[in-house]
Amino acid sequence: MIWNSVEACSRSEMQSIQLDRLQKTVGDIYDKNPVYKKRLDEAGVKPADIKSLDDIRRIPFTVKDDLRDNYPFDLFTASREEIVEYHATSGTTGKPIVVGYTRNDIETWSEVMARCMTSCGITSKDVLQNIYGYGLFTGGLGAHYGGLKIGAGVIPISGGNTQKQIMLMQDFGTTSLTVTPSFLMYLYEVGVEMGVDFKKLNLRTALLGSEFWTESMREKIQESFGLKAYDIYGLTEITGPGVSCECHEAQNGMHINEDYFYPEIINPATGEALPVGDEGELVFTTIGKEGQPLLRYRTRDITSLSLEPCVCGRTLIKMKKLTGRTDDMLIIRGVNFFPSQIESIILKHQGVTPNYLVVVDRQGTLDEVEVRIEVTAQYATKPVHEVFNESADQIVSDEMATRDIVKALVRDIKDVVGITVKVTLVPPGTIPRSEGKAKRYIDNRQKR
Ligand code: ZN
C-alpha cells in the first residue's frame, strides 16, 4: 500500500516537483535569511541562476558547524512567530543544534512519517508503542505525528521504563514498535530474564532507526521477537525521522521522500558530486521546509543511491543502509575502520551478545584497538579472559570455550577490517546501555 500517489510518480514528474520547490526554497532563503544571502552572494549565486536541478551544484554546502555557529536561530527562514515547535540535538559537546518548525513543517513531517509507516505495512489497525524519546529529540514526536496521521493507536511511552514497556506490550496488545535497535535488544534481554516469550505477543513490525544496525542484527531481532524489522532514516537537521524508510515488499534500501528532501552523493574529500550508484557522503537540500530549510547539508553519512525499479511500486529513489559516518570513521594504523563493522562479525559467533564497545588508544606511536564484548549468560559465571593478537602463547585463559571464541573473533575481525585487535570478553550487563543512541566507541588517542 502507498500513502501518497506522488511516491509512485514518473521520474519527470518528480524532477518537475523538485525543481519548482528548489527554486522556491532558494528564493525564500535568499530573501529572508541574511546569513544565507551573504553566502550565496559570496558564491556568486542568485536564485534566478537555479534553472535546472544540476544547478544545485553551484550552491555552497552547509555543515554541522554552520548550525552551531548560528545558534540558536540565525539560520531560521521563518519568523519566530511562525515557529510552532522547536527541537534540538543532545549537544554533548558544546551548543546543541536547534531546529524550528512552522505549522506546515509539522504537517510535512507527519506526512513523510505516515508514508514511512505505511511503507512498512503499519495501518490504522495497529497499536504502535512509540519507544523513541519524547522531548527535544525528534524521534518521539516524529513517530507520534506519523502514527496519528495514519490513525494507529499510539502509546506515547517514550524511552526507558524497561519493565513497563514489556508490560504494555503484553497488556495493550502492541503490534508495532518504533525504537532504537540497541534498546530493543536490551528489552529482549530483560524480557527473557522475566520469562517473557516475545514471539507469543502480537508484535509484528518494528521501525528501527537513529543508530547503525546491520543485516545480522536485523536477523537476530526478527528471530528474537517474531516480527519484521525495517530501517528508517532521518536526522534532526533535516526534519527528524521520516527522510527515508524501507518498504515491506523489498525490505532492502530506503525510499527517500525526495519531493521534500533532495539527495546528492558527493566525494567527502573533494565535495565533487558523484553519479547515482557511487558510494559517498549523503547530502540533502530540504525543498519543502519553511522554518529552517537547509541547502546542500552534508550529513556525514556514507551510502549510495539507486533508481532501480522496486517491487513495491514506489519510484522514489532509494538509499542503501548506511555503511558508516565520516565522523565515526576511525583511522587505525592507516586503515579506515567503522566501529559498526564489528557488529555483524559478533553476531555470527556463539557465546557473545551484540553489546560491544570499541576502545582505541595509543601506546607510544602504535594505535591499539580493544573490542569489549559481553558474553551470553551461559558464560556469566566463568572468569573473563583476554587475548592479544593471534599468537596462541599470549592467551591468558585456560578455559577452552572462551579462548576459542576470542580466537575466532580476533581472526574474523582481522579478515573483515584488516587490523588485529584485542578482544576482551566481559560479563553480561557490564557495557553501559543506552536509551537513545548507543555509543559504540571511545577514542582515547586525542587525550594523550
Ligand atoms: Zn520499495
Side-chain angles (χ1 to χ4, degrees):
M1 209 169 67
I2 290 178
W3 178 258
N4 188 321
S5 58
V6 75
E7 296 171 72
C9 74
S10 71
R11 188 68 354 216
S12 62
E13 282 172 296
M14 178 55 73
Q15 286 173 337
S16 154
I17 295 169
Q18 288 174 327
L19 183 58
D20 279 354
R21 290 187 179 170
L22 175 65
Q23 289 169 329
K24 182 177 182 324
T25 301
V26 177
D28 278 356
I29 283 180
Y30 192 82
D31 292 344
K32 295 178 185 169
N33 186 287
V35 177
Y36 258 125
K37 179 178 187 300
K38 185 163 171 274
R39 293 185 132 214
L40 289 168
D41 282 341
E42 281 167 3
V45 185
K46 295 275 183 279
D49 296 333
I50 308 299
K51 296 187 177 76
S52 73
L53 286 171
D54 282 346
D55 289 332
I56 199 170
R57 295 176 188 178
R58 304 180 56 180
I59 298 172
F61 293 114
T62 310
V63 297
K64 203 166 210 167
D65 278 346
D66 293 321
L67 288 154
R68 291 209 182 97
D69 294 346
N70 291 288
Y71 173 88
F73 309 131
D74 286 354
L75 285 186
F76 280 16
T77 295
S79 70
R80 294 292 302 287
E81 195 187 338
E82 292 168 286
I83 300 293
V84 298
E85 190 167 312
Y86 297 88
H87 283 276
T89 60
S90 53
T92 41
T93 52
K95 294 284 190 192
I97 281 166
V98 176
V99 281
Y101 302 70
T102 64
R103 199 165 288 283
N104 284 337
D105 289 340
I106 296 291
E107 180 47 41
T108 301
W109 196 11
S110 312
E111 160 73 20
V112 294
M113 279 303 294
R115 291 184 194 175
C116 292
M117 288 177 173
T118 305
S119 148
C120 300
I122 302 176
T123 70
S124 59
K125 294 193 178 78
D126 278 282
V127 178
L128 176 70
Q129 190 160 330
N130 186 14
I131 308 177
Y132 283 131
Y134 282 65
L136 285 174
F137 174 56
T138 49
L141 277 165
H144 188 94
Y145 293 144
L148 293 190
K149 183 110 179 157
I150 63 168
V154 181
I155 308 173
I157 186 164
S158 193
N161 289 304
T162 312
Q163 309 226 343
K164 197 172 187 178
Q165 300 278 6
I166 296 166
M167 186 183 85
L168 294 192
M169 282 179 201
Q170 295 170 310
D171 297 349
F172 286 22
T174 302
T175 58
S176 303
L177 302 171
T178 39
V179 60
T180 59
S182 59
F183 189 57
L184 185 57
M185 282 315 291
Y186 178 56
L187 283 173
Y188 180 74
E189 287 174 32
V190 174
V192 167
E193 268 173 36
M194 290 164 65
V196 176
D197 182 354
F198 286 99
K199 288 186 195 160
K200 295 218 170 92
L201 306 186
N202 292 348
L203 298 170
R204 60 179 202 91
T205 315
L207 248 67
L208 307 180
S210 122
E211 61 190 28
F212 289 112
W213 57 299
T214 55
E215 284 304 323
S216 326
M217 181 68 121
R218 188 201 310 264
E219 280 163 31
K220 177 127 187 152
I221 287 171
Q222 294 192 151
E223 165 62 26
S224 303
F225 287 89
L227 50 67
K228 288 279 182 196
Y230 301 96
D231 206 355
I232 182 166
Y233 172 83
L235 61 172
T236 303
E237 300 92 309
I238 297 302
T239 202
V243 172
S244 65
C245 188
E246 288 178 337
C247 56
H248 77 91
E249 290 90 342
Q251 213 182 11
N252 178 18
M254 294 173 275
H255 289 284
I256 299 174
N257 286 303
E258 55 176 317
D259 50 333
Y260 289 108
F261 316 111
Y262 182 80
E264 294 173 87
I265 295 286
I266 62 162
N267 176 332
T270 63
E272 174 205 3
L274 298 174
V276 168
D278 281 15
E279 187 175 83
E281 181 180 350
L282 183 61
V283 169
F284 279 112
T285 298
T286 63
I287 51 174
K289 219 176 156 194
E290 298 175 340
Q292 183 172 269
L294 292 178
L295 299 178
R296 304 194 85 199
Y297 183 71
R298 293 183 63 157
T299 64
R300 310 193 209 187
D301 290 326
I302 305 289
T303 185
S304 61
L305 302 177
S306 164
L307 278 168
E308 301 261 310
C310 186
V311 285
C312 72
R314 282 174 189 77
T315 51
L316 296 174
I317 198 166
K318 275 180 166 182
M319 56 185 268
K320 270 209 180 126
K321 222 169 188 338
L322 303 180
T323 45
R325 270 181 85 81
T326 55
D327 47 356
D328 281 345
M329 190 181 80
L330 300 167
I331 299 176
I332 310 287
R333 296 170 222 153
V335 175
N336 293 349
F337 171 71
F338 293 104
S340 49
Q341 291 174 300
I342 298 288
E343 182 182 293
S344 53
I345 301 168
I346 294 173
L347 285 163
K348 292 195 184 97
H349 289 264
Q350 300 295 316
V352 286
T353 75
N355 296 306
Y356 68 96
L357 184 69
V358 176
V359 183
V360 185
D361 212 330
R362 185 165 287 160
Q363 300 292 330
T365 55
L366 189 66
D367 294 332
E368 296 201 338
V369 182
E370 179 189 10
V371 183
R372 295 179 193 158
I373 309 168
E374 285 184 9
V375 292
T376 55
Q378 176 193 356
Y379 293 99
T381 55
K382 295 178 180 165
V384 172
H385 305 292
E386 288 192 357
V387 64
F388 189 64
N389 294 349
E390 318 95 306
S391 52
D393 56 2
Q394 285 177 288
I395 294 169
V396 282
S397 163
D398 55 4
E399 214 298 322
M400 285 306 287
T402 46
R403 189 178 73 170
D404 288 348
I405 293 170
V406 166
K407 271 175 79 175
L409 281 162
V410 169
R411 183 196 61 221
D412 287 0
I413 292 171
K414 173 100 196 259
D415 280 352
V416 174
V417 182
I419 51 176
T420 302
V421 304
K422 172 184 177 179
V423 168
T424 307
L425 299 181
V426 298
T430 54
I431 289 176
R433 299 299 193 274
S434 161
E435 289 175 1
K437 289 188 189 201
K439 176 82 180 156
R440 295 302 196 189
Y441 72 92
I442 298 172
D443 191 347
N444 290 324
R445 289 175 297 181
Q446 289 92 343
K447 293 181 194 152
R448 309 214 169 250

